[in-house]
Amino acid sequence: MPRMHEVESTSIEAIGYDGQTHELYVRFLESGRTYAYQEVEENVFEQFLAAASKGNYFNREIQGAYSHSLVRVPAGRSSGRPKSRIGRSDEERKR
């Protein structure tokens, strides 16, 4: 898998591109899953990386336009970014 670039987005955590295989990698925030999109031109990756809204660009230019597959990440190799917790904090539970 290529180097992943963390991005500012409410739905996408990181994106990467492999110029040899022409695969675009997208890791989603909510699920933590990474998908590889095949036969993506490098300029599409560059525009995606530069887009003001990564989610809008993804929905408009990538989703449904390219075949894709789920990338299996070996156990213990997460992004390192903590997932948000739902519910009360430890301090709230103590009260």
Side-chain angles (χ1 to χ4, degrees):
M1 187 159 44
R3 177 179 175 272
M4 297 294 283
H5 303 267
E6 287 192 5
V7 295
E8 290 294 322
S9 173
T10 58
S11 59
I12 297 169
E13 182 177 350
I15 62 175
Y17 185 75
D18 185 328
Q20 291 184 329
T21 62
H22 301 282
E23 289 183 313
L24 171 69
Y25 292 81
V26 181
R27 183 169 54 234
F28 293 91
L29 266 173
E30 182 89 11
S31 68
R33 292 183 178 143
T34 301
Y35 290 87
Y37 294 82
Q38 289 78 36
E39 299 181 34
V40 177
E41 302 81 11
E42 188 168 2
N43 68 316
V44 171
F45 166 68
E46 291 168 355
Q47 291 170 7
F48 190 16
L49 196 56
S53 171
K54 306 298 187 271
N56 285 340
Y57 186 88
F58 175 82
N59 291 334
R60 188 178 67 246
E61 302 293 334
I62 298 167
Q63 187 176 35
Y66 299 95
S67 60
H68 64 280
S69 59
L70 177 64
V71 175
R72 302 277 181 207
V73 178
R77 291 202 54 202
S78 69
S79 67
R81 184 182 274 189
K83 301 289 180 210
S84 61
R85 291 174 43 177
I86 298 174
R88 298 183 306 167
S89 69
D90 292 339
E91 285 300 313
E92 290 172 322
R93 278 189 229 111
K94 289 179 185 176
R95 294 182 199 157

